[in-house]
Amino acid sequence: MEPHHEPDGGSSDAGAAQELGSPLFSSCENLSSRQEEQSTKMRRSDNYLPVPGEEKNQDGNQDHAKARNNESIPMKTLHADDGSPLYSKLGPYFRDGHRRVDYILEYSIQKPHSTRRRSSKFGNDNFLRRLRRSLSSRSSKAPLQPKEDPEFAAQDHQADYHEDDKSSKRKEFEENLHEAGLELEWDEENQIPGVGFLKIHAPWDILCREAELMKLKMPTKKTYEVKQGSNLVEKIRLFIHKATAPLHPNLDSNQQPGLKPLSHPFSREKEHLFDLSDKDKFFDSKTRSSIVHEVLKRTKCQRDNYSMGITSLLANSIYTAAYPPHDGDINGMDLNDRRRLYEEWASYSVFYKYQPVGLIRKYFGEKVGLYFAWLGVYTQMLIPASIVGVIVFLYGCATVDSNIPSMEICDPRNNITMCPLCDRACSYWKLVTACGTARASHLFDNEATVFFSIFMALWAVLFMEHWKRRQMRLNYIWDLTGFGEEEEEEHKDHNRAEYEIRVMKKTMRQDQSAPKEEKVKLTCTDRMPAYMTAVAMMAFMITLSFTMAFGVILYRISIKAALHMSSAAGRSNIRATVKGTAAVINVIIIIILDEIYAKIARWLTILEVPKTDKSFDNRLIFKTFILKFVNAFTPIVYLAFFRGRLVGRPGKYLYVVGSYRMEECAHAGCLMELCIQLCITMLGKQFIQNNLFEIGIPKLKKMLQKRKMDPQEEEKQNKILQRHQKDHLLLPFAGLNPEYMEMIIQFGMVTLFVASFPLAPLFALLNNIIEIRLDAKKFVTELRRPVAAKAKDIGIWYNLLRGLSKVAVIVNAFVIAFTSDFIPRLVYQYTYSSDGTLHGFVNHTLSVFKVSDFEPGTEPLVPKHLGYNVETCRYKDYREPPWSKTPYELSKEFWSILAVRLAFVIVFQNVVMLMSDFVDWLIPDIPKDISLQIHKEKIHMMELFMKEEQGKRRAARDTRSMYKCNSPPSAGQSPPQPRSRPNTHARAGW
């Protein structure tokens, strides 16, 4: 690329002003004259920028910044009086209106203190004033006062040094960018004070060069027909696709349906294969920004024998931000991809439609596209799970009146007196008062629960298989089938800035006698303190979660005793009050600890100094998942497997922290409390932590900003600000890890304890319908555009999903066997029942306790309110009666039921795992039609290359034959020498 030279003193801005012919640009004349006067100081190398008239400072950063300001067109000259832009394409374009802005680098502008002091010192008025003051002081012979505090002067000098150092590093980096072929333009005089913008444009030859280096697959001129499969599965899929046509987004595609262009890695030698009729649209904005990003990562600046890339420059605040610009406004006149996404994806009015996954990938890249494609598949698969869960819940509602155990509990004729639930303060109580709890428990603990658990285990496998097939289809459509390990290594080969800084420090500390050939890197020994810190902090955080859960247990125990000691009016709803408030406290603790754990996990990962971004993400994901999983599921695991089992018996209870007696389950079991905890946790985490935090807080901030700003001023500002300045006001993109983590925890809620809460899939479905549009609106309107990243799968998240689906089988087996009463009912019905029914089951589960066997100080204080003396009370357990030879010992019924429970866990786990593996084997990972199309595409590409090779051979043969025909006979002479161009021209002229 040839540099464009201009006469001395000329500038691109002046040329732009002449092209516009507007009097608004007359203000730049004085700036140009000043540039001519100081050209020896501020002149840049002509080879620095292809933009005409750019100047390079060789003698100080102050003049360098001044020259930049002179090169920038002031914002007031870019708009008319009404604020409308003078350029129709001023948004993501350079000032000439033709070159597109492919990338933005931001940096802070702080005018050095020395400059301000120097300018004020040499001003005309200040000079005369100081001269008078000096003369008067000499005449009065008064001592001279210091003009400034030396401490402040030293601080100002240090600040100036840091700013000058940053500016010099920026300057060198930008010179290297120019040498790499990129075109640059600065904008320092804008409506955003203290922020400078470096706009980067990649010309055509640079795009072609980098696309060839990056092996980007681009569509060729050759297209072929994509035929649908003829098997039953493909016919069903095609029928569903046609039936759901109204649910597809309204996107006008230029590509004919059923045709797909052949894609091939771009090569400058094979440019004739590609359709280059419109070079401006051949590389879309997503591809252009990713190419510039690769150049930025590869470009270095050398300082103190240490190379700094863009990541290091960002880490050291030399540049404050780096991002590609959005295509345009969502409410602008032009129909850009961003506006189409806003209308067909980010609007709540289209919540019932499919997502435009192809357009998402085109605008944000494959990595973001895969996330939303996965989220869409997950949400679709929740529909059948929600329907089956609602059916199971309705079955429980329909059979609650015919459930024999709950009928026996609610029958007042049984008149069963139960033992106190706490020491001293609690009195005896009647079993009939637990009627409501027993009926509610049946809604979730019934015969259909086992079926639903098996269904959800198979559902998880079907979901994983469906996603793998959908992922392969997307890989084929997006031309990612050849994106292998080699390309991934090329994309992740760049070290992180923190790693490079640590390596530099280690290099400086090493002895000079160390071998120079050996490449310095961080070893496990170097990271050992960070690893030990991480292990200790992780253990401490997990212990903190256990401690918080134990604190809620103590709250339940103490508040229950306090409510029992209160008036009788509060005793009727004691259980509901304790359960509800404890669940709410658990949710609040989970939400607070989630935010703390996320920051601690990032801090620990930074301490470990991972080498690459992928390694950093994997370590961060692992730590965050462990901490958040333990935090969210510790209260649930306690309710499911520990509460009611570490209690003891009347007369010999288990106490913790002195006199706190461990709490018991209700007579109907702990499944109802587990259901309440799951319900409140899902509602709290999804609708409060996620949606309220993501919707409410940003809306509140916008409302406060609008109240401070006049509407007319806001409208005027929207007209004045350029595209990159509007993007500066948006939030930076923080990655997809928080979005994935939110869905993974929800997937655990849906699958792990679904036996206790069949409505969990329905709650997740309702949340995801809102979540998709919420995330879409956030990506389109509230976040800066992320750099497009290639990916062929969802990475480590798939392994976490697969692990959770395996663990869910075991957890649900234990929930059914130990938490619910399914196994005790089954054993009683087929072993101990006289008529093969559940009549007498409640009495069979209750043991007898003689009240005279209470330990001193634990018997109830007010037992006489029942109207009679209590000699025995009942409690739920399988123990021998007090009149047996081994009183209060575990009975044989307990051991037989325990054996059946363990046998059920083993059988359930192996049967479901076997069925899951069979389904996994039965469904191929790659759809048959996709594998055929991939093979067909390879054949078409081979035929295209063979035709090209045949054409080259034919052209070469014709050239040789033409050469032989034009050669004169030379019998007996040496071979003819080729004619020179002058002779040929002379003969033609003659």
Side-chain angles (χ1 to χ4, degrees):
M1 182 178 62
E2 295 294 331
H4 190 102
H5 298 278
E6 286 288 332
D8 291 346
S11 68
S12 61
D13 302 343
Q18 292 173 1
E19 291 175 4
L20 286 172
S22 172
L24 292 172
F25 287 84
S26 61
S27 61
C28 296
E29 296 177 358
N30 295 331
L31 298 178
S32 299
S33 62
R34 266 179 273 161
Q35 286 179 343
E36 293 175 358
E37 294 173 0
Q38 300 179 0
S39 60
T40 57
K41 291 185 179 180
M42 304 189 320
R43 191 65 179 162
R44 292 182 180 176
S45 172
D46 290 335
N47 295 326
Y48 185 53
L49 281 179
V51 183
E54 300 290 352
E55 297 180 349
K56 181 178 178 181
N57 173 28
Q58 303 287 350
D59 194 32
N61 296 301
Q62 174 193 348
D63 298 332
H64 177 63
K66 194 181 298 182
R68 285 189 178 181
N69 292 336
N70 293 337
E71 290 162 10
S72 303
I73 299 179
M75 287 301 300
K76 62 182 181 180
T77 65
L78 292 174
H79 299 82
D81 295 335
D82 60 349
S84 60
L86 293 176
Y87 288 137
S88 60
K89 297 168 64 177
L90 191 61
Y93 289 86
F94 273 22
R95 288 190 292 265
D96 56 13
H98 299 290
R99 290 173 294 175
R100 181 181 180 85
V101 178
D102 299 320
Y103 214 87
I104 297 293
L105 294 180
E106 291 183 5
Y107 53 92
S108 60
I109 303 175
Q110 295 182 6
K111 193 172 183 182
H113 297 77
S114 57
T115 304
R116 289 195 289 269
R117 290 194 301 270
R118 194 179 302 117
S119 61
S120 62
K121 181 177 179 180
F122 293 100
N124 293 331
D125 296 339
N126 291 335
F127 177 75
L128 295 176
R129 192 178 300 112
R130 279 196 307 275
L131 182 61
R132 296 192 195 99
R133 189 183 303 118
S134 177
L135 293 175
S136 61
S137 63
R138 289 181 180 179
S139 61
S140 61
K141 296 184 180 181
L144 293 175
Q145 299 294 329
K147 296 182 177 61
E148 56 185 357
D149 190 349
E151 184 178 354
F152 289 136
Q155 293 177 358
D156 292 346
H157 179 73
Q158 186 178 6
D160 292 348
Y161 171 77
H162 288 304
E163 290 303 318
D164 293 345
D165 184 56
K166 290 181 180 180
S167 180
S168 62
K169 290 178 181 177
R170 282 198 301 267
K171 176 184 172 184
E172 182 180 350
F173 182 73
E174 290 158 8
E175 288 176 349
N176 295 334
L177 289 180
H178 166 248
E179 291 178 0
L182 299 180
E183 299 181 3
L184 313 177
E185 186 177 73
W186 288 270
D187 180 14
E188 293 187 353
E189 293 185 357
N190 52 72
Q191 298 295 321
I192 303 176
V195 178
F197 298 93
L198 175 62
K199 295 181 282 187
I200 303 176
H201 168 76
W204 171 255
D205 54 346
I206 302 302
L207 293 173
C208 295
R209 183 193 70 193
E210 296 299 325
E212 185 174 356
L213 292 175
M214 296 169 63
K215 301 178 183 179
L216 295 181
K217 276 191 172 183
M218 303 301 296
T220 62
K221 300 176 184 178
K222 177 71 175 178
T223 59
Y224 67 97
E225 183 180 1
V226 180
K227 294 183 179 180
Q228 300 294 334
S230 58
N231 56 0
L232 180 61
V233 176
E234 294 303 323
K235 289 181 178 179
I236 294 175
R237 191 181 66 83
L238 185 60
F239 171 77
I240 294 175
H241 181 79
K242 292 181 178 179
T244 58
L247 302 180
H248 292 276
N250 300 323
L251 298 176
D252 298 330
S253 177
N254 297 327
Q255 182 178 342
Q256 297 181 4
L259 293 179
K260 184 180 185 296
L262 284 174
S263 296
H264 185 263
F266 185 82
S267 173
R268 287 173 288 184
E269 296 179 355
K270 295 182 173 60
E271 283 189 353
H272 58 279
L273 297 178
F274 305 94
D275 184 11
L276 302 180
S277 57
D278 189 355
K279 293 184 178 180
D280 291 337
K281 295 183 179 179
F282 182 73
F283 294 108
D284 56 13
S285 60
K286 177 256 300 182
T287 307
R288 296 174 69 98
S289 62
S290 61
I291 287 175
V292 175
H293 184 69
E294 285 296 319
V295 177
L296 289 174
K297 290 197 298 184
R298 196 171 61 241
T299 304
K300 306 288 184 180
C301 71
Q302 200 74 19
R303 284 285 162 176
D304 301 328
N305 297 324
Y306 171 61
S307 61
M308 299 178 66
I310 185 62
T311 53
S312 301
L313 296 175
L314 289 170
N316 290 278
S317 301
I318 297 171
Y319 288 105
T320 55
Y323 53 88
H326 279 291
D327 278 356
D329 292 327
I330 58 177
N331 51 4
M333 299 299 294
D334 57 331
L335 185 60
N336 52 66
D337 288 341
R338 188 188 184 196
R339 181 179 173 185
R340 294 167 68 195
L341 284 172
Y342 180 76
E343 294 175 351
E344 296 295 332
W345 181 47
S347 176
Y348 291 106
S349 60
V350 293
F351 74 93
Y352 59 92
K353 289 188 176 183
Y354 289 106
Q355 300 181 88
V357 179
L359 186 58
I360 297 171
R361 172 252 179 180
K362 179 186 175 184
Y363 192 77
F364 291 108
E366 286 79 7
K367 199 169 186 178
V368 176
L370 280 175
Y371 164 71
F372 283 104
W374 172 83
L375 184 57
V377 170
Y378 173 48
T379 305
Q380 289 176 3
M381 290 296 292
L382 283 174
I383 296 176
S386 303
I387 294 174
V388 177
V390 171
I391 292 175
V392 170
F393 178 74
L394 294 178
Y395 172 81
C397 295
T399 59
V400 66
D401 291 331
S402 60
N403 182 42
I404 296 176
S406 61
M407 291 172 60
E408 289 183 348
I409 293 175
C410 297
D411 190 356
R413 294 175 296 178
N414 290 329
N415 195 27
I416 299 177
T417 303
M418 303 296 294
C419 295
L421 296 176
C422 62
D423 293 342
R424 305 290 288 175
C426 302
S427 181
Y428 303 103
W429 56 285
K430 292 294 185 179
L431 182 61
V432 70
T433 58
C435 176
T437 305
R439 291 174 63 86
S441 297
H442 179 73
L443 301 179
F444 306 98
D445 185 9
N446 51 63
E447 294 77 9
T449 302
V450 180
F451 160 76
F452 188 59
S453 299
I454 298 174
F455 169 81
M456 287 302 296
L458 297 178
W459 172 87
V461 177
L462 288 173
F463 163 60
M464 304 299 292
E465 293 301 316
H466 180 38
W467 166 244
K468 282 195 293 187
R469 292 170 63 86
R470 173 64 172 162
Q471 186 173 260
M472 286 304 303
R473 191 175 297 276
L474 290 176
N475 286 342
Y476 164 70
I477 297 173
W478 295 349
D479 297 318
L480 295 173
T481 51
F483 187 74
E485 296 296 331
E486 182 180 352
E487 288 81 1
E488 288 183 352
E489 289 295 332
E490 291 179 359
H491 283 81
K492 70 178 182 180
D493 193 29
H494 303 282
N495 295 339
R496 299 181 67 251
E498 291 81 1
Y499 180 84
E500 293 180 352
I501 294 173
R502 283 287 299 274
V503 170
M504 179 195 68
K505 293 180 179 178
K506 183 179 178 180
T507 305
M508 296 173 64
R509 288 196 307 263
Q510 275 188 344
D511 190 10
Q512 298 294 332
S513 60
K516 302 295 183 182
E517 302 83 12
E518 184 179 352
K519 187 177 180 180
V520 179
K521 61 180 181 180
L522 296 183
T523 61
C524 184
T525 306
D526 298 326
R527 293 191 176 100
M528 187 57 64
Y531 289 156
M532 298 299 295
T533 304
V535 171
M537 287 298 297
M538 291 281 288
F540 175 74
M541 293 295 107
I542 293 174
T543 306
L544 179 63
S545 294
F546 292 159
T547 305
M548 290 295 181
F550 184 70
V552 176
I553 294 172
L554 296 182
Y555 162 80
R556 274 199 295 257
I557 296 171
S558 58
I559 200 68
K560 183 187 297 184
L563 291 176
H564 276 286
M565 295 176 64
S566 63
S567 59
R571 293 178 181 176
S572 58
N573 297 320
I574 288 177
R575 284 185 178 274
T577 302
V578 173
K579 293 175 186 176
T581 56
V584 171
I585 292 174
N586 270 324
V587 170
I588 294 174
I589 292 174
I590 289 172
I591 292 174
I592 294 174
L593 290 183
D594 269 353
E595 301 299 323
I596 298 174
Y597 287 171
K599 291 179 173 56
I600 290 178
R602 175 169 289 276
W603 173 67
L604 293 176
T605 308
I606 292 174
L607 284 182
E608 295 176 2
V609 197
K611 184 176 182 180
T612 61
D613 288 333
K614 185 174 182 180
S615 175
F616 181 88
D617 288 340
N618 289 341
R619 296 182 186 213
L620 177 62
I621 290 169
F622 176 76
K623 292 182 180 65
T624 309
F625 175 75
I626 293 295
L627 291 176
K628 290 195 173 185
F629 185 85
V630 171
N631 182 40
F633 287 96
T634 296
I636 299 173
V637 170
Y638 165 75
L639 289 174
F641 302 123
F642 295 100
R643 183 177 177 181
R645 288 167 180 80
L646 305 175
V647 178
R649 60 171 179 82
K652 196 177 181 180
Y653 284 112
L654 178 65
Y655 295 89
V656 293
V657 193
S659 59
Y660 287 94
R661 194 180 100 185
M662 289 299 293
E663 53 186 349
E664 305 176 37
C665 291
H667 179 76
C670 288
L671 202 66
M672 187 61 195
E673 296 189 25
L674 177 61
C675 174
I676 293 174
Q677 183 66 55
L678 272 170
C679 178
I680 295 180
T681 301
M682 288 192 70
L683 288 175
K685 282 187 64 63
Q686 294 179 3
F687 292 98
I688 297 177
Q689 183 181 16
N690 300 331
N691 297 338
L692 182 62
F693 283 4
E694 294 182 10
I695 296 177
I697 295 179
K699 290 284 186 184
L700 183 61
K701 290 181 179 179
K702 288 183 178 180
M703 287 176 58
L704 294 176
Q705 290 178 356
K706 287 183 178 180
R707 292 186 65 178
K708 295 179 180 179
M709 186 179 297
D710 187 22
Q712 296 181 355
E713 182 182 352
E714 182 181 2
E715 183 179 358
K716 184 179 180 181
Q717 186 180 17
N718 289 332
K719 289 182 179 180
I720 292 177
L721 291 181
Q722 292 179 285
R723 177 70 267 151
H724 58 278
Q725 295 167 1
K726 294 179 181 179
D727 289 346
H728 166 78
L729 302 177
L730 301 177
L731 298 175
F733 177 67
L736 292 171
N737 289 347
E739 313 297 336
Y740 271 116
M741 188 63 65
E742 175 185 337
M743 291 295 107
I744 294 296
I745 297 297
Q746 184 201 88
F747 182 80
M749 295 280 183
V750 169
T751 55
L752 289 180
F753 295 93
V754 72
S756 60
F757 189 37
L759 296 180
L762 178 63
F763 281 24
L765 174 64
L766 297 177
N767 173 79
N768 288 3
I769 291 175
I770 302 174
E771 183 72 21
I772 288 176
R773 306 302 162 180
L774 177 65
D775 287 345
K777 194 169 185 179
K778 181 172 65 175
F779 270 77
V780 175
T781 63
E782 299 176 5
L783 295 180
R784 294 173 186 167
R785 188 176 183 180
V787 179
K790 278 188 175 294
K792 64 178 181 179
D793 50 39
I794 59 175
I796 192 176
W797 301 107
Y798 180 82
N799 299 329
L800 292 177
L801 288 170
R802 195 167 186 84
L804 283 177
S805 62
K806 297 292 185 183
V807 175
V809 177
I810 303 174
V811 172
N812 282 297
F814 275 94
V815 169
I816 295 172
F818 288 90
T819 307
S820 73
D821 281 341
F822 174 76
I823 298 300
R825 289 197 301 263
L826 199 66
V827 172
Y828 175 80
Q829 185 175 359
Y830 292 101
T831 305
Y832 299 101
S833 177
S834 58
D835 54 359
T837 64
L838 291 177
H839 287 287
F841 172 72
V842 174
N843 186 63
H844 180 262
T845 60
L846 297 177
S847 299
V848 181
F849 178 74
K850 193 175 181 181
V851 298
S852 59
D853 294 336
F854 272 120
E855 291 183 355
T858 62
E859 66 277 0
L861 289 176
V862 202
K864 296 184 178 180
H865 73 278
L866 298 174
Y868 58 91
N869 292 328
V870 178
E871 296 181 356
T872 60
C873 62
R874 311 292 295 273
Y875 62 99
K876 187 177 181 181
D877 205 349
Y878 291 95
R879 291 183 179 271
E880 297 290 343
W883 51 81
S884 67
K885 295 182 180 179
T886 55
Y888 306 127
E889 294 294 329
L890 295 174
S891 62
K892 62 178 183 179
E893 289 86 354
F894 172 84
W895 298 111
S896 60
I897 291 174
L898 179 62
V900 176
R901 280 173 166 167
L902 295 176
F904 175 83
V905 169
I906 296 173
V907 172
F908 182 89
Q909 172 188 343
N910 286 278
V911 169
V912 175
M913 288 286 189
L914 182 62
M915 294 172 64
S916 302
D917 292 340
F918 176 74
V919 172
D920 191 1
W921 170 81
L922 188 65
I923 302 175
D925 294 343
I926 304 177
K928 187 176 181 180
D929 63 321
I930 295 298
S931 60
L932 292 176
Q933 294 297 339
I934 293 174
H935 181 67
K936 184 178 178 180
E937 185 173 314
K938 292 180 179 179
I939 294 176
H940 282 298
M941 187 61 67
M942 191 177 298
E943 291 176 353
L944 180 63
F945 287 146
M946 290 179 65
K947 288 181 180 180
E948 181 188 2
E949 189 66 25
Q950 290 175 1
K952 289 181 179 180
R953 291 178 180 177
R954 190 180 300 110
R957 189 165 51 249
D958 295 342
T959 303
R960 286 195 301 268
S961 62
M962 186 181 302
Y963 175 75
K964 290 179 181 179
C965 293
N966 294 335
S967 299
S970 54
Q973 299 180 3
S974 61
Q977 299 296 326
R979 291 185 293 270
S980 61
R981 294 179 62 90
N983 293 335
T984 304
H985 287 194
R987 186 177 293 109
W990 178 81

